[in-house]
Amino acid sequence: MTDRRAVRHRAPVGAPDARTLPHRPEVVVVGGGIAGLTAATGLAERGVAVTVVERQDELGGRVSAWTDRLADGSTVSMSRGFHAFFRQYYNLRALLRRADPGLSRLRPVADYPLVDGEGRRDTFRGLPSTPPWNALAFALRSPTFRVRDLLRLNARAAAPLAAVSVPGTYDRLDDVDAATFLERINFPPAARHLAFEVFSRSFFAPPSEMSAAELATMFHLYFLGSSEGLVFDVPDSAYDTALWEPLRAYLAGLGVRFRTGTEAGVVARDGSRWSVDGLAADGVVLAADVSGLQSIVSASPDLADGDWRSRVLGLRIAPPFLVHRLWLDRPVAPDRPAFLATGGLDPLDNISVLDRYEREAATWAAEHGGSVVELHAYACADEVVALREQLVDRLHRLYPETAGARIVGELVQWRRDCPLFGVGDFARRPRVRTPFDGVVLAGDGIRIDLPVALMERAAATGWHAANCLLARWGLAGHELTTVPVRGRFAPLRALAALGG
Ligand SMILES: Cc1cc2nc3c(=O)[nH]c(=O)nc-3n(C[C@H](O)[C@H](O)[C@H](O)COP(=O)(O)OP(=O)(O)OC[C@H]3O[C@@H](n4cnc5c(N)ncnc54)[C@H](O)[C@@H]3O)c2cc1C
């Protein structure tokens, strides 16, 4: 951590080890994604007996990886696609450090240019890391953002972008959609495409369906609230080898049991305890994705609180996304970046060149004299077959050297399992604590009043879920760390307050 203004949220105090208690608590964690693995870590490190139940055969949830087969019969590593591990993901990094103290399996991506349909290009390379100079420098050198655009910004309406606090920002902006908000502040249309659409689509939603509060929180987390710089890291090999197998070994060393390939169905009361499909426990962490959580709650009449049930069942899921990975018989040009984000080049949202950073892909590329390229399309309206063709067509136009390449193999992930951060949803979102003593929630769709998002929200809710259960048994919790919990600049906070 390099940001001196990052905030440490102190760990709840208590006894260090559950094994000294008269009864050693047992917890079932449902879901082996980031949220569930974080909760399992927080509990097991305090001596709680933990069983993780995961539907898939592998850990990692949406960041899992597995071995797959190409049409020619060869085996390759496949995943749910490129993920950016930002430096200000303090709580996620705390998890990963358990198995890799120096985070040696992460490597920086030096630059991730943004390009739009007109060929305009923004870049994050060489920007100062301290706000507001990072944002100013980005805006001033951007081809889509002129000084006169800066002067035309409606400063009062835009102030919430620089004065984020949670939940205050949601009170002010959650009923507005991101597209309307950007219009209201006079954000230049071209820059909207390039900077903000990329952000909002990375949350799997078109700007017209996404909450402006979520957009502002994101702007704070990634840009104006943090001085970690805009650098992010990526694992240097497939997610299973770089992240989850080492973490599984660490947790197994703490006695955690894993039931992978097992779908949890029903949570039931068992006197003063709980059970998950008959597996008795003193506590339950529900860290399933939105539809998994909804199925469990629907099938569990003992989780009987009408308002809470309707909050869980009311969680919305974003439109589907497509991840299309191609194994090509030719390399892409040497100057192609590891990751390129696109705006206004529908349906393409980004291109990554995996052999630039992932060991398995680099080995394949070296053996075949080729390259491994991945195309993402978020918030999809079209059918998968049409989308694949459009994505490959975009690739050929942006990276013309790929047009003559033969596709040796291709694999596709077409899924719909990311939460939608829709307009007005925040107040109804269920929190980590539930009305049921001993049952807590975690996941990137669960409300926590801290400036966190995506993988970092999954990790933060996971630590918090563990802390809630640990406190119940008088056990010590874990510290959380976040970017500053309010905007860094007092004058802009005052201006935002004036804006109502
Ligand atoms: C293509 C793509 C790109 C992304 N890029 C980024 C990025 O660059 N940066 C970023 O921060 N985030 C990114 N994300 C988001 C990130 O993946 C998620 O925020 C994060 O992984 C969510 O973790 P989670 O633990 O909350 O949920 P999940 O990873 O979904 O874990 C939930 C787990 O619960 C399991 N489960 C569900 N129901 C049951 C049941 N009944 N019984 C047992 N198990 C069950 C599921 O199998 C799953 O493993 C991206 C997501 C996608 C899909």
Side-chain angles (χ1 to χ4, degrees), residues 19 21 31 60 65 70 149 199 207 209 292 337 349 364 382 397 452 487:
R19 280 162 293 209
L21 301 178
L70 298 183
D149 293 325
F199 267 143
E209 280 187 50
D349 282 298
W364 188 94
D382 269 336
R397 282 164 195 263
V452 288

Side-chain angles (χ1 to χ4, degrees), residues 423-439:
V423 178
D425 284 353
F426 182 79
R428 297 282 302 158
R429 207 164 270 283
R431 296 172 186 258
V432 171
R433 280 183 204 282
T434 72
F436 317 103
D437 244 7
V439 178

Side-chain angles (χ1 to χ4, degrees), residues 30-31 33-35 53-56 60-63 80 82-84 89 204 262-264 287-289 292 296 321 323 376 418 443-444 454-455 458:
V30 177
I34 289 170
V53 180
E54 166 54 50
R55 185 175 53 193
Q56 294 181 177
R62 271 168 270 159
V63 198
R80 304 280 299 275
F82 179 93
H83 277 66
Y89 282 6
F204 310 99
T262 306
E263 179 159 356
D289 51 12
I296 293 169
F321 62 86
V323 171
H376 286 201
C418 292
D444 65 348
L454 300 174
M455 289 194 283

Side-chain angles (χ1 to χ4, degrees), residues 8 13 82 93 110 234 241 254 265 328 359 362 481:
R8 290 174 186 278
V13 289
F82 179 93
R93 291 167 94 86
V234 287
T241 47
L254 295 174
L328 304 176
R359 192 177 330 123
T481 306

Side-chain angles (χ1 to χ4, degrees), residues 441-474:
L441 305 183
D444 65 348
I446 302 304
R447 173 171 168 175
I448 185 166
D449 287 359
L450 293 173
V452 288
L454 300 174
M455 289 194 283
E456 179 64 352
R457 188 177 285 145
T461 53
W463 291 119
H464 186 43
N467 284 352
C468 293
L469 291 180
L470 293 169
R472 211 170 157 243
W473 301 308

